[in-house]
Every structure is written in C-alpha cells, then in structure tokens.
Amino acid sequence: MTEKIGILAIGHGSRLPYNNQVVSEIADMIAKKHPEFVIRSGFMEMSTPSVEEAMLSFAGTGVTKIAAVPVFLASGVHITKDIPEILKLDPETKQGKVKLDGREVTIVYGKPLGSDELIAELIFKRAQEVF
Amino acid sequence: MTEKIGILAIGHGSRLPYNNQVVSEIADMIAKKHPEFVIRSGFMEMSTPSVEEAMLSFAGTGVTKIAAVPVFLASGVHITKDIPEILKLDPETKQGKVKLDGREVTIVYGKPLGSDELIAELIFKRAQEVF
C-alpha cells in the first residue's frame, strides 16, 4: 500500500491573533508547495482548532500516517511533555495512533524548528529589511 | 562614511538551555556566513547575556548601526512592548540610540520570523525526518 502522508503543524496558540496567523499561513504554504500531502494546523491552547480537532479533521482524506510537527522555535516542556500528552504518544517510541474512518493511523512526532541555516537566513533577511 | 552593521539576535530566554542554544547557534551561523557584519545575541529574560549587556558588547567593533531582530516566531506583547522598552525605542520611529565608544549608534528594529517560505520549508523538512 502506498503511504498517504498527513502533516499536522502544531502552534502554541495565543489570545492575540499573530501565532494563529503565522502557523495557518505556514500550513497553507506547505499545502500549496506539496499538494500530494494533506496539511492541517492545530493549537496547543487558546486558539482553535485544538490539536485533537485538527487530528480528527484528517478523516476522509485517506492519510495512512500523520507527522505532527511543532511550529515552535526551540524545545522545552511544551515539546517534551505537553504536546506528547495531548497526542497520547508512547513515551518510548514517540509514536501514537488515531482512529480515522475506522482505521488506526500512526502518528509520528517531528522536532521543532531549532537552529538551522534556514532560520539564520531568515533572521539575516529580517535585519536587511531595516538597516 | 561606510556603514558597519551590527545584528543583535534577541531571544526570549528560558530556564531550560534550549532557547539559548538555538538563538546562539543561529547567531553563529549568521556570523560565519556574513563575516562583514558584527553579530551578537542577547535575551529578554532568564538567560544571559541580557539584551542590554549584548548591546554594550558591540563596543570596540566600530559598528555604526545595529539591527535588533527578535528570534521569535510571531508578534505579540514581547515584540510590540517589552523588547522596544528594553531597547528604549522611540514609539513612533521604532528606532533607538546606544552610546558606544563615545559615539551614538542608531538601533533599528526588525520583524520576528513570521510566516515565510523558509519556515514552511523547514517545517516540511522536520516532517520528512520522521515519516
């Protein structure tokens, strides 16, 4: 069976609109560039859809595996504890399951952005915009 | 006079080491790729050096302008209020001044990462690493 991959972009969530906007816009960019993947976004707290709601919204898409990726800059308690708990990941394997359309779909868990040349390039671009 | 530009990468700071590591590593990447710029990193709270300490560490480098760029994903109160207050930016112009080596050096203020194709590319890479 060919895998059909879903990507869930997980944002922190905020009372202000900015975090929600950034995460949703990034999800749209990925969806546009990679139409063979099914992209959703969900939020840990304060914004909607919640992570659980976003996960269930993969129903009907035929995804066979979902990569949940935190749209967070760095690791921390949200990454190591809170989000794995929401996703009910196995603490050993860092994998989980969600039931969609009567099938069990595997959830795998990605790293946050971290230090990467792409972030360095973007920070330099943000500096260039103002000097 | 030719401008010599400094870039101050401003992190949130954290009791955990991750935020500090990511911001410092990103600053190192920028410094390596753009040796004609003077790069420093500083933290809003909890980590060292503080933003003020990092700003003063441009002394002796000959910078004529400093771009302060928040290494934050999205805007919010830290971006619109807390960091501008630490940097004593003019609320109208979003610019400030710092006295270094007896000269007044202009501070300009960059945007946070925001939604950008570079972030979308990195989130997709983080998904690819696990599916």
Side-chain angles (χ1 to χ4, degrees), chain A residues 5-7 9 16 18-19 21-23 25-26 29-30 33-34 36-37 39 65 67-77 80 95 108-131, chain B residues 5-7 9 16 18-19 21-23 25-26 29-30 33-34 36-37 39 65 67-77 80 95 108-131:
Chain A
I5 307 285
I7 298 175
L16 294 170
Y18 309 111
N19 181 267
Q21 270 168 21
V22 167
V23 174
E25 284 169 17
I26 287 167
M29 286 174 190
I30 300 172
K33 198 165 177 188
H34 302 281
E36 69 278 29
F37 293 82
I39 319 296
K65 190 186 269 189
V69 182
V71 188
F72 284 62
L73 193 67
S75 190
V77 176
T80 59
Q95 296 204 352
V108 290
Y109 189 45
K111 288 183 189 161
L113 297 163
S115 53
D116 190 282
E117 292 287 350
L118 292 167
I119 303 281
E121 195 181 330
L122 184 50
I123 293 291
F124 186 72
K125 188 166 98 174
R126 293 287 177 251
Q128 275 184 310
E129 287 165 358
V130 289
F131 61 64
Chain B
I5 306 285
I7 298 176
L16 294 169
Y18 309 112
N19 182 267
Q21 269 167 21
V22 167
V23 174
E25 285 169 17
I26 287 167
M29 286 174 190
I30 300 172
K33 198 165 177 187
H34 301 282
E36 69 279 28
F37 293 82
I39 319 296
K65 191 186 267 189
V69 181
V71 187
F72 284 62
L73 193 66
S75 190
V77 177
T80 59
Q95 296 203 352
V108 291
Y109 189 46
K111 288 184 188 159
L113 296 163
S115 52
D116 190 283
E117 292 288 349
L118 292 167
I119 303 282
E121 196 181 328
L122 184 50
I123 293 291
F124 186 73
K125 189 167 99 172
R126 293 287 176 253
Q128 275 184 311
E129 287 166 356
V130 289
F131 62 62

Side-chain angles (χ1 to χ4, degrees), chain B residues 10-13 42-47 50-51 72 78 82-83 86:
Chain B
I10 301 178
H12 185 287
F43 298 89
M44 194 185 69
E45 58 185 38
M46 290 183 279
S47 300
S50 69
V51 168
F72 284 62
H78 295 324
D82 300 338
I83 296 172
I86 293 170

Side-chain angles (χ1 to χ4, degrees), chain A residues 13-95:
Chain A
S14 169
R15 278 182 200 89
L16 294 170
Y18 309 111
N19 181 267
N20 193 322
Q21 270 168 21
V22 167
V23 174
S24 305
E25 284 169 17
I26 287 167
D28 289 347
M29 286 174 190
I30 300 172
K32 199 170 267 182
K33 198 165 177 188
H34 302 281
E36 69 278 29
F37 293 82
V38 182
I39 319 296
R40 295 286 185 271
S41 51
F43 297 89
M44 193 184 71
E45 58 185 37
M46 292 183 280
S47 300
T48 56
S50 69
V51 169
E52 296 94 327
E53 288 165 347
M55 199 50 99
L56 294 176
S57 77
F58 283 104
T61 64
V63 293
T64 56
K65 190 186 269 189
I66 296 169
V69 182
V71 188
F72 284 62
L73 193 67
S75 190
V77 176
H78 296 324
I79 302 298
T80 59
K81 190 168 173 292
D82 300 338
I83 296 172
E85 280 180 12
I86 294 171
L87 295 173
K88 298 185 181 66
L89 301 184
D90 181 298
E92 292 278 310
T93 62
K94 295 277 173 195
Q95 296 204 352

Side-chain angles (χ1 to χ4, degrees), chain B residues 54-69:
Chain B
M55 198 50 97
L56 294 176
S57 77
F58 282 104
T61 63
V63 294
T64 55
K65 191 186 267 189
I66 296 170
V69 181

